[in-house]
Amino acid sequence: MPVAGKFIADGRKEPVSWFNQTDEEDEMHNRVWRFLVAEHTNSWFYNMAVELQRTRITSATDDRSPITQYYSWLQQTPYSSSTVRYSTVGADILADTDTVPGTFIAICKVIEIDRQRAASRDGLNGLEPAVRDSVGARKSENDTYISWFVRALSYRYASYNYALDHLLVETPHPQSMEVDRKLSVMAGYVDRANRREFCPGGAMSAANSGHGIPSRYQTQPIDNEVIAIK
């Protein structure tokens, strides 16, 4: 499928590079992949469409996914207690935020590889035109994959946010405050990803960037928290 996908993408006049991948590019692809699929949630993340897009059999389709899918999956899953849904959302958010820093670093390494390729191309004489073209094509491919990651991370955040809002209405419980805190931490990473701040100094400090979302819970001067739907 990947080989066929390259020919199909070339037919769509998309940039295609036939370079071998570096170890850094392999690592980035592996780390980003877990944000593109959700095996444990019965394809709420459209796993088959993801595979067709990854192999370039189809053009990008991930921007068509509605943010309601995750909540629908939660709602239809027969948990023994309604509070377990809050635990599930919290665990999924934590799994993402624990993995984001390493993914940011992997992306940063690929950005540096692309810079080194361009410098080598510009500093060497006698390279064939096809080789020179492949440098730009590989950067375009990497940029496309990075953009896909940013959209996937943003989509996950929006899906969790939608789910929490609706759980607050459907099955209110104080446990929602901890989920809201985790979601606010994730918002910092989403903000940095959308600003393409992947390299050290941005990735590892994302959770403390000060760019989290306002809490759903309004804190009074005496530090009593009350639920207030945003």
Side-chain angles (χ1 to χ4, degrees):
M1 287 177 66
V3 174
K6 282 181 176 286
F7 283 105
I8 293 172
D10 186 60
R12 294 195 299 261
K13 306 301 181 183
E14 296 175 2
V16 174
S17 173
W18 295 92
F19 282 166
N20 289 317
Q21 287 189 346
T22 65
D23 292 345
E24 291 83 359
E25 287 166 332
D26 282 338
E27 181 183 2
M28 182 187 75
H29 281 224
N30 290 336
R31 286 184 174 274
V32 167
W33 179 249
R34 59 96 48 217
F35 290 94
L36 306 180
V37 295
E39 295 291 346
H40 63 296
T41 56
N42 198 26
S43 292
W44 72 270
F45 216 72
Y46 299 98
N47 295 348
M48 181 57 69
V50 165
E51 178 63 8
L52 292 174
Q53 183 173 330
R54 181 190 72 84
T55 56
R56 307 185 73 175
I57 298 295
T58 64
S59 55
T61 58
D62 61 285
D63 57 346
R64 306 172 195 173
S65 304
I67 62 172
T68 59
Q69 287 294 108
Y70 180 68
Y71 173 66
S72 296
W73 170 78
L74 282 172
Q75 193 178 42
Q76 294 166 14
T77 301
Y79 288 108
S80 59
S81 168
S82 62
T83 60
V84 180
R85 290 185 176 86
Y86 286 106
S87 298
T88 299
V89 179
D92 288 342
I93 294 170
L94 187 60
D96 285 350
T97 54
D98 282 350
T99 313
V100 167
T103 307
F104 277 19
I105 291 173
I107 290 172
C108 183
K109 291 178 180 178
V110 169
I111 292 172
E112 174 59 17
I113 288 292
D114 283 331
R115 187 197 67 79
Q116 292 176 10
R117 278 200 187 101
S120 297
R121 175 198 59 195
D122 296 341
L124 294 173
N125 296 320
L127 293 176
E128 296 83 354
V131 174
R132 292 184 176 276
D133 291 344
S134 280
V135 173
R138 174 52 55 86
K139 183 181 187 304
S140 179
E141 290 173 343
N142 287 335
D143 288 346
T144 296
Y145 215 83
I146 292 168
S147 294
W148 192 8
F149 163 72
V150 173
R151 293 195 303 271
L153 185 64
S154 298
Y155 175 69
R156 283 174 178 263
Y157 167 76
S159 297
Y160 298 144
N161 192 54
Y162 179 92
L164 182 55
D165 278 349
H166 286 73
L167 287 175
L168 282 168
V169 175
E170 183 177 2
T171 55
H173 192 273
Q175 190 177 357
S176 60
M177 290 185 286
E178 176 61 18
V179 178
D180 183 68
R181 185 193 66 79
K182 292 176 179 177
L183 192 59
S184 185
V185 171
M186 184 179 185
Y189 289 114
V190 173
D191 184 59
R192 285 187 177 271
N194 278 281
R195 288 186 282 126
R196 301 302 197 268
E197 295 181 359
F198 299 114
C199 295
M204 298 308 293
S205 60
N208 299 314
S209 65
H211 294 284
I213 59 170
S215 175
R216 291 170 174 78
Y217 305 94
Q218 180 179 353
T219 303
Q220 303 296 328
I222 57 174
D223 202 28
N224 291 327
E225 292 181 312
V226 296
I227 295 179
I229 305 299
K230 66 174 185 178

